[in-house]
């Protein structure tokens, strides 16, 4: 039986790979995509999601636009890593979508899909957590319809936007706190400590580009992002953060997890948006599952294999 899957996203280069991996994975049925502000403006994230689904031959999947800003305080700035249009300046190399976004807003689409699904739905938030916090606040009874939230976000040992804050949590710390701390939905949190270790090389990208026109298009979206990660990693590669979360969603258990209580710093100061993980022994056994390790080469091979097969089927 396939697992129904919804992706909440702010495409975003690594979001593009994450969407492609979901489409390429027979274990899951991608039943909806919701968008959120984040890497670029909400208009661009929605347009990019529509274009990516057109590339992937899945224009049947509804795309609903969500939050245009954080819950409480305005976002200080957008990410620079993904280029001005969110896809390294190459969004217009993707096919023009033949349809617009769904008439419903993101929270309404999430609600409708959760209510209609035959079995509990896996939701994969790979942007700021604003839509998910709004969903849980407005429709708390739907928690039981969520099998698991597999969230890309946070850094246990440091951040990428500030010394302690990772982009998705930093973009809306109050929403992240609502979802990770105040609710009791099963969560697997995939932090940047692990996703950075799963970075892929330029050779991996070249191999994907050679598999099909779709693979080549995906790799064509990477130049600005790759340039940022070259500086960040110190070698010629890039982190596929969001695709690692989707990999865990389609193959539960692919990532090794440890359960710890967490909190999110919401005060205004140098720690804002930081993830606090309580690793004290006496608190083990409660909290959220944090992905801490994986067979990294196996994971890279799995993603490459899936994305390559997608191209062949096109
Ligand atoms: C996260 O931030 C975004 O820039 C990426 O798309 C990913 O979701 C990594 O910190
Ligand atoms: Ca993202």
């Amino acid at each position: 039986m396939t697992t129904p899957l919804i992706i909440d996203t702010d495409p975003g280069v690594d979001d593009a790979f994450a969407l492609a991996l979901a489409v390429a994975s027979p274990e899951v049925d991608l039943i909806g995509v919701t968008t959120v502000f984040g890497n670029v403006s909400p208009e661009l994230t929605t347009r990019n999601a529509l274009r990516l689904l057109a590339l992937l031959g899945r224009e049947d999947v509804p795309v609903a636009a969500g939050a245009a800003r954080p819950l409480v305080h305005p976002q200080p700035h957008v990410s620079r890593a993904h280029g001005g249009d969110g896809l390294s300046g190459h969004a217009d190399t993707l096919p023009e979508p033949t349809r617009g976004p769904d008439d419903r807003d993101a929270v309404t689409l999430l609600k409708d899909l959760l209510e209609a699904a035959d079995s509990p739905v896996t939701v994969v938030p790979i942007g700021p957590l604003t839509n998910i916090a709004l969903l849980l606040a407005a429709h708390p009874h739907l928690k039981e319809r969520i099998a698991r939230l597999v969230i890309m976000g946070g850094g246990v040992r440091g951040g990428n936007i500030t010394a302690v804050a990772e982009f998705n949590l930093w973009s809306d710390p109050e929403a992240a706190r609502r979802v990770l701390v105040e609710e009791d939905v099963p969560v697997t949190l995939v932090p940047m400590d692990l996703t950075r270790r799963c970075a892929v090389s330029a050779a991996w990208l070249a191999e994907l580009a050679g598999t099909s026109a779709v693979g080549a298009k995906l790799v064509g979206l990477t130049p600005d992002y790759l340039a940022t990660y070259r500086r960040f990693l110190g070698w010629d590669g890039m982190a596929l953060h969001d695709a690692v979360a989707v990999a865990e969603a389609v193959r539960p258990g692919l990532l090794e997890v440890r359960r710890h209580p967490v909190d999110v710093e919401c005060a205004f100061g140098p720690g804002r948006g930081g993830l606090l993980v309580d690793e004290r022994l006496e608190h083990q056994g409660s909290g959220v599952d944090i992905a801490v390790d994986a067979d990294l080469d196996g994971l890279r091979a799995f993603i490459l294999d899936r994305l390559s097969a997608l191209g062949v089927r096109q």
Side-chain angles (χ1 to χ4, degrees):
M1 203 181 78
T2 56
T3 304
L5 186 89
I6 301 173
I7 297 186
D8 184 65
T9 177
D10 62 335
V13 175
D14 57 324
D15 303 72
F17 283 73
L19 286 167
L21 180 59
V23 167
S25 293
E27 300 90 341
V28 296
D29 177 16
L30 183 63
I31 58 172
V33 169
T34 51
T35 61
V36 62
F37 75 92
N39 287 316
V40 283
S41 71
E43 293 75 22
L44 287 175
T45 60
T46 302
R47 185 151 176 74
N48 288 345
L50 289 164
R51 284 174 146 159
L52 287 161
L53 288 170
L55 172 73
L56 297 165
R58 288 302 308 270
E59 288 200 275
D60 57 304
V61 177
V63 174
R69 51 155 289 170
L71 285 183
V72 184
H73 301 287
Q75 187 189 28
H77 65 79
V78 295
S79 169
R80 288 188 213 96
H82 301 257
D85 66 359
L87 296 173
S88 293
H90 294 276
D92 60 6
T93 64
L94 297 176
E96 272 301 312
T98 60
R99 44 100 198 229
D102 198 275
D103 288 340
R104 292 164 287 185
D105 62 89
V107 172
T108 307
L109 180 65
L110 283 159
K111 169 185 166 291
D112 289 351
L113 292 173
L114 289 171
E115 280 175 348
D118 291 337
S119 55
V121 178
T122 298
V123 181
V124 187
I126 53 176
L129 285 159
T130 320
N131 290 339
I132 308 302
L134 289 167
L135 172 76
L136 297 175
H139 306 289
H141 69 285
L142 290 177
K143 274 190 263 187
E144 62 197 37
R145 305 294 306 150
I146 299 175
R148 183 165 64 133
L149 294 172
V150 185
I151 298 171
M152 191 283 131
V156 181
R157 311 257 177 262
N160 54 6
I161 293 294
T162 71
V164 296
E166 177 279 334
F167 181 77
N168 290 341
L169 265 55
W170 171 87
S171 294
D172 194 345
E174 284 77 16
R177 187 165 197 287
R178 175 82 193 229
V179 174
L180 293 172
V181 183
E182 294 176 16
E183 300 288 352
D184 54 358
V185 185
V187 169
T188 300
L189 183 66
V190 184
M192 58 168 280
D193 312 67
L194 180 61
T195 57
R196 192 174 148 172
R197 286 172 54 216
C198 303
V200 296
S201 65
W204 186 99
L205 291 168
E207 196 174 337
L208 175 59
T211 58
S212 71
V214 176
K217 285 274 188 205
L218 282 173
V219 175
L221 305 174
T222 62
D224 287 7
Y225 188 73
L226 191 56
T228 302
Y229 273 92
R230 247 181 234 129
R231 291 195 298 275
F232 190 55
L233 296 169
W235 52 277
D236 198 8
M238 54 177 242
L240 286 177
H241 304 286
D242 296 340
V244 178
V246 169
E248 167 61 27
V250 304
R251 278 274 178 92
L254 202 61
L255 309 182
E256 184 189 321
V257 299
R258 269 188 223 136
R259 186 166 294 184
H260 294 291
V262 298
D263 213 321
V264 179
E265 177 61 88
C266 292
F268 282 92
R272 182 167 168 79
L275 176 73
L276 291 102
V277 179
D278 191 343
E279 294 176 302
R280 290 175 295 171
L281 282 177
E282 62 268 34
H283 293 290
Q284 281 179 5
S286 62
V288 305
D289 285 341
I290 301 176
V292 292
D293 206 0
D295 166 6
L296 302 180
D297 286 337
L299 188 54
R300 291 186 197 98
F302 171 71
I303 297 173
L304 181 59
D305 186 55
R306 285 291 164 93
L307 298 183
S308 306
L310 174 74
V312 171
R313 278 205 297 274
Q314 287 288 309

